[in-house]
Amino acid sequence: MKDLQLLLLLLILQNHKVHMDSTERNQDCAWSCSEGLQCKPRAYSPLSAFHCRNQAVSSAVFNNVMLSNVLACEGRKCSLQLKIAASVNVTGDIRGVSVCADSAGMIGHCQIYTFGNVGKGKATGKQVDVQFKCVPVRPGQLVFVTLKTIPNYCKVMWTQRHLVPECSHEGIRDEITECITGKLAYAVDKARNMLTVKVTEAPENTDYNLRLCHKRNVICTGEGAQRTIKPQYLESSITLHYSKPLPCLCIEGWPARVDARRVQVCPFKNNLEELWSGITYDLNKEELIWEPLCPVKVSVSLCHADGGKSCQDLGNVFHSEGQKAIFSSVDPHPMLCTKFTTEVGTWIKCPFAKGNFSVWTAKITSKDGQQWAEISTWVKASFSISVCEMNPSPQCKQIEGNKFQSFSVDKMKHTVFNLSKSACEVCVCIKVQRVDVRFSVPVLQCDLQCSSWCPVPERSQDIEKILLPALIILTVILAAVLFGRMTIKDWDKKRTP
């Protein structure tokens, strides 16, 4: 039983939705009723709505009530109307019907129609089809429709809410004057940061406004001066200059009238690359800050670039939908980068890669066969240092028995870490990392002054991968040349008598 009731409810809602969305064009909007009855309009009195009879009525009075949207057009000008029709079962002393369409901010439209010859019994017991005069409405308006009998019986009143389609509805967006926004076509001149805009299908005899704006959710805040175009110049193109091709930069146009709808086109909506440049660093607070210039759903994290295409996450992913991302206690190092991940893809930006941002350095120095690591810093900092082995693997592995050493260095000073004389025998490197901050990357120093060959980190290996094949090819070419010269000499000897 419940399933049947649910099915009936869904069918009712589906039919109700059809009435809300459908829009008829140039339908008859005059009032009328069934043939053979002399229906007459009567002046509506608000006092009649406050008095009603409590007597019961034997059968349902209102049936097949239809609410539909109508486009009433005269030439190219159209208006939106609400058409109301109903079937009325005339019983007892019912001699007419009234309808009211009310909405917030709108004066109620009420009508009364009486049925002729009721006293003579010609209408009693019959079904009367009534079509009321159409009611003017606006796009997106919520209208409350009420049907009552004359005289007014309290228990047979019919009420219904009706939502008029928005201007986005395909049936009215290009027909109703207040819905017509015009269409915008544009061309981009990247070299001069300029947009050339052409307005088409704009309302007639109305000024038109154009501007650039930054769209943040629903609101589009203006950038630069607004341009107003007179109707006679709408055929001409308008140029607008922009500073950055941001994805939220839009061209906005609207007819120059109160509460006019606006149309927006965003030429650079897929240009997300521009958003990742807004990274700043506060050296005093050691804060890395990224502030989005446009609302974007993105995950932001810090990572360690290893010299190749990969970047290892350092944790603490920040999820933003337009909010500022702040990473505190960050060591500014060229290999420390910012990773941005969206539904479209991933971008890696290294803000410290260019320029002298590092606040400390580590280098290896040697003298008389003794080698040591020297660490200098421009800020007070703490470091960890360890010795690792590069042979036989190019990955630096910690030497067994060698422990990490931690120490602090005062501002504008340096410290020395001595290496054993046997460092060259096992091809060691030193790994230095700042430990007094939350985000830092390790630094490898492998430039020991050794006579024997040792593996080098990945960046140097890339050079070796290029040089080794080149040397092999060069050797083969030289061997071929020498062999060719020897063959020619032997041939010459054989030809000599």
Side-chain angles (χ1 to χ4, degrees):
M1 184 65 180
K2 291 183 178 180
D3 293 340
L4 181 60
Q5 292 176 347
L6 180 62
L7 180 60
L8 290 174
L9 179 61
L10 290 174
L11 289 173
I12 292 172
L13 290 176
Q14 184 177 3
N15 292 333
H16 182 69
K17 184 178 180 181
V18 170
H19 295 320
M20 297 301 106
D21 291 346
S22 60
T23 302
E24 302 171 0
R25 187 183 181 91
N26 287 333
Q27 295 293 313
D28 184 12
C29 272
W31 66 271
S32 63
C33 64
S34 299
E35 295 182 4
L37 291 178
Q38 297 178 2
C39 295
K40 295 181 181 180
R42 205 182 79 184
Y44 178 80
S45 173
L47 296 176
S48 61
F50 295 100
H51 302 285
C52 61
R53 300 182 181 183
N54 288 321
Q55 292 92 330
V57 179
S58 58
S59 61
V61 176
F62 297 109
N63 297 308
N64 302 325
V65 181
M66 298 293 293
L67 307 177
S68 58
N69 308 299
V70 175
L71 276 175
C73 301
E74 294 181 4
R76 295 187 61 181
K77 293 185 178 180
C78 297
S79 61
L80 199 56
Q81 307 279 332
L82 175 60
K83 183 178 179 180
I84 307 170
S87 297
V88 183
N89 291 324
V90 181
T91 59
D93 59 349
I94 293 176
R95 59 180 183 274
V97 64
S98 69
V99 62
C100 284
D102 301 285
S103 179
M106 176 184 103
I107 300 175
H109 290 264
C110 296
Q111 308 169 43
I112 293 180
Y113 298 95
T114 56
F115 310 137
N117 302 323
V118 173
K120 298 180 181 180
K122 291 186 179 181
T124 302
K126 294 180 62 175
Q127 178 174 290
V128 179
D129 296 324
V130 182
Q131 178 177 302
F132 301 94
K133 185 179 179 181
C134 291
V135 177
V137 291
R138 296 186 61 188
Q141 192 172 23
L142 182 61
V143 183
F144 295 86
V145 180
T146 305
L147 293 176
K148 298 178 182 179
T149 58
I150 304 294
N152 186 9
Y153 284 96
C154 303
K155 296 183 180 180
V156 298
M157 183 174 61
W158 183 94
T159 59
Q160 179 65 63
R161 292 189 307 171
H162 178 83
L163 182 60
V164 182
E166 298 278 357
C167 279
S168 57
H169 191 280
E170 61 182 357
I172 65 173
R173 62 187 172 201
D174 296 326
E175 303 290 347
I176 305 299
T177 302
E178 62 185 293
C179 291
I180 298 175
T181 59
K183 295 182 179 180
L184 304 179
Y186 63 88
V188 181
D189 186 343
K190 293 183 180 180
R192 294 188 289 177
N193 282 12
M194 187 176 70
L195 293 166
T196 303
V197 186
K198 184 72 177 293
V199 182
T200 59
E201 300 182 24
E204 295 179 347
N205 303 320
T206 304
D207 291 352
Y208 198 86
N209 294 327
L210 270 180
R211 70 168 184 172
L212 291 178
C213 62
H214 287 114
K215 191 171 184 178
R216 296 184 177 274
N217 299 323
V218 179
I219 300 174
C220 203
T221 55
E223 179 187 281
Q226 175 180 305
R227 304 284 297 275
T228 300
I229 311 170
K230 295 296 181 181
Q232 61 268 29
Y233 300 118
L234 279 174
E235 297 295 327
S236 304
S237 298
I238 303 297
T239 57
L240 301 171
H241 292 270
Y242 61 89
S243 56
K244 281 188 176 182
L246 297 173
C248 60
L249 180 69
C250 302
I251 309 167
E252 187 174 57
W254 71 98
R257 58 171 179 261
V258 179
D259 297 332
R261 291 181 68 248
R262 304 188 178 198
V263 60
Q264 295 168 351
V265 290
C266 305
F268 312 107
K269 60 182 178 181
N270 296 323
N271 196 11
L272 295 177
E273 184 78 20
E274 286 290 330
L275 298 181
W276 320 136
S277 60
I279 302 174
T280 58
Y281 181 75
D282 190 324
L283 185 60
N284 295 323
K285 297 181 179 179
E286 294 186 326
E287 285 183 346
L288 186 144
I289 304 168
W290 173 72
E291 188 167 5
L293 298 175
C294 295
V296 60
K297 190 174 182 180
V298 62
S299 297
V300 190
S301 62
L302 299 183
C303 62
H304 174 207
D306 57 6
K309 294 183 179 180
S310 62
C311 197
Q312 300 176 7
D313 287 327
L314 300 179
N316 289 54
V317 179
F318 184 88
H319 301 284
S320 172
E321 293 189 10
Q323 301 88 359
K324 182 190 299 183
I326 301 176
F327 295 92
S328 302
S329 189
V330 177
D331 178 35
H333 192 274
M335 304 301 287
L336 189 141
C337 304
T338 310
K339 182 186 290 186
F340 300 93
T341 305
T342 69
E343 295 177 351
V344 180
T346 299
W347 293 262
I348 295 175
K349 296 293 180 180
C350 302
F352 309 113
K354 296 181 180 179
N356 189 18
F357 286 101
S358 296
V359 295
W360 63 276
T361 60
K363 65 179 182 179
I364 294 179
T365 308
S366 65
K367 185 177 181 181
D368 299 332
Q370 177 63 48
Q371 308 203 45
W372 64 88
E374 187 176 297
I375 298 175
S376 302
T377 176
W378 289 266
V379 296
K380 187 176 181 180
S382 298
F383 299 88
S384 71
I385 186 169
S386 63
V387 179
C388 58
E389 184 180 0
M390 295 295 293
N391 191 27
S393 170
Q395 300 296 328
C396 201
K397 296 183 179 180
Q398 185 179 354
I399 300 174
E400 293 184 7
N402 183 269
K403 297 181 180 180
F404 286 93
Q405 295 188 23
S406 298
F407 55 92
S408 297
V409 183
D410 289 333
K411 183 178 180 181
M412 302 299 293
K413 292 187 177 181
H414 69 276
T415 190
V416 173
F417 179 77
N418 290 322
L419 299 175
S420 65
K421 292 185 178 181
S422 60
C424 288
E425 298 176 4
V426 291
C427 296
V428 300
C429 297
I430 62 166
K431 182 186 291 186
V432 185
Q433 185 168 4
R434 226 180 130 179
V435 294
D436 62 323
V437 292
R438 292 180 60 190
F439 300 99
S440 65
V441 296
V443 176
L444 279 179
Q445 288 292 338
C446 302
D447 48 350
L448 298 177
Q449 304 299 318
C450 299
S451 58
S452 59
W453 179 86
C454 291
V456 291
E458 293 181 6
R459 185 174 291 181
S460 300
Q461 280 193 341
D462 292 339
I463 300 175
E464 291 176 9
K465 290 177 182 178
I466 298 172
L467 289 178
L468 187 59
L471 289 172
I472 294 172
I473 294 171
L474 183 60
T475 303
V476 172
I477 292 172
L478 289 174
V481 171
L482 290 173
F483 179 77
R485 293 186 65 182
M486 291 174 64
T487 304
I488 292 171
K489 286 182 179 180
D490 291 343
W491 177 256
D492 290 339
K493 288 179 180 181
K494 290 179 180 180
R495 292 183 60 186
T496 303

